[in-house]
Amino acid sequence: MPKIVDHDERRLELVDATWRIIARQGLEGATMREIAMEAGFANGALKPYFPTKDTLLEFAFGHVFNRTNQRIAEVTRGKSGLAALRAFCREVLPLDEERVNEARIVIPFWQKAVNDSQKAAIHQQSMNEWATTIRRFLAEARDNGDIHAAVDDSILAGQLLNMLLGAQIEAALAPEGGRDFGHAAQLEGYLALL
């Protein structure tokens, strides 16, 4: 009897292998052959799922974004305003090895998006979702009386989103072992200014 293959599970295995290789060797080291070996598959096994490295990178970016959103949904459940905003930001900030590795996936995707309108659109849609969520939490915090800043919430959301993305870049580019950038304290300082 032929083996039944779970195609969604196989895609995730390939994405996880891609993630590990990019984290260790960078995008250039993530060849289709290396990814297949890391996942324990024959080189040709990738083609039905990801015909090119670019399609795999897009899927990996979407996977990282969705994983982050799942964590955000879990940690913000039952929270609103400033508490929800803080929890949201802490899930995006590269505060542990897993989130630093996520940043290492996202940065090569951004690099490709500079000259690829489809990838740029995927990134923009993702950031629009996050900005909308941040603005909602800011509005709730303002309604609760926790935010008094005279700056418009759209500007605050843009500042905060840029801070989060900049933290990802800083952590991803850091030499091995350099992890304490003070991102959590910077977040608290920013929130205190509000």
Side-chain angles (χ1 to χ4, degrees):
M1 179 177 278
K3 183 180 176 184
I4 297 173
V5 177
D6 183 333
H7 296 289
D8 290 334
E9 185 177 321
R10 171 93 24 113
R11 276 186 193 89
L12 291 179
E13 289 172 4
L14 294 170
V15 167
D16 285 341
T18 304
W19 181 342
R20 290 190 302 269
I21 290 172
I22 290 175
R24 281 195 318 261
Q25 301 170 220
L27 181 61
E28 297 309 314
T31 65
M32 296 299 264
R33 180 182 312 254
E34 286 289 324
I35 293 165
M37 283 178 27
E38 179 81 14
F41 300 123
N43 192 29
L46 273 70
K47 289 285 183 201
Y49 300 99
F50 303 106
T52 66
K53 190 165 139 179
D54 262 8
T55 58
L56 181 53
L57 186 60
E58 282 182 21
F59 193 86
F61 174 83
H63 180 63
V64 166
F65 185 71
N66 290 334
R67 278 176 57 142
T68 305
N69 285 342
Q70 288 170 351
R71 288 195 316 262
I72 289 168
E74 290 171 16
V75 299
T76 60
R77 189 173 293 119
K79 295 179 180 157
S80 66
L82 211 50
L85 183 61
R86 178 178 285 110
F88 173 98
C89 292
R90 291 185 65 85
E91 287 307 315
V92 176
L93 284 173
L95 298 177
D96 60 24
E97 192 63 30
E98 177 183 8
R99 288 173 280 182
V100 171
N101 284 338
E102 288 175 349
R104 289 183 180 138
I105 294 288
V106 170
I107 289 172
F109 180 84
W110 290 340
Q111 181 182 3
K112 295 277 189 179
V114 168
N115 297 311
D116 183 325
S117 60
Q118 180 177 332
K119 286 178 184 54
I122 292 168
H123 168 74
Q124 193 56 55
Q125 178 184 350
S126 303
M127 294 306 99
N128 288 344
E129 285 178 37
W130 277 1
T132 298
T133 301
I134 291 170
R135 283 193 304 272
R136 185 179 84 237
F137 292 149
L138 286 168
E140 291 169 357
R142 203 175 282 281
D143 290 344
N144 294 340
D146 293 330
I147 290 181
H148 307 288
V151 179
D152 184 83
D153 287 350
S154 291
I155 293 172
L156 294 176
Q159 288 175 324
L160 190 52
L161 191 54
N162 285 332
M163 183 181 99
L164 297 173
L165 300 181
Q168 288 182 327
I169 293 168
E170 181 179 38
L173 296 178
E176 196 61 37
R179 294 285 179 264
D180 186 14
F181 303 102
H183 292 147
Q186 291 167 17
L187 171 63
E188 292 306 317
Y190 180 83
L191 296 177
L193 291 173
L194 301 181

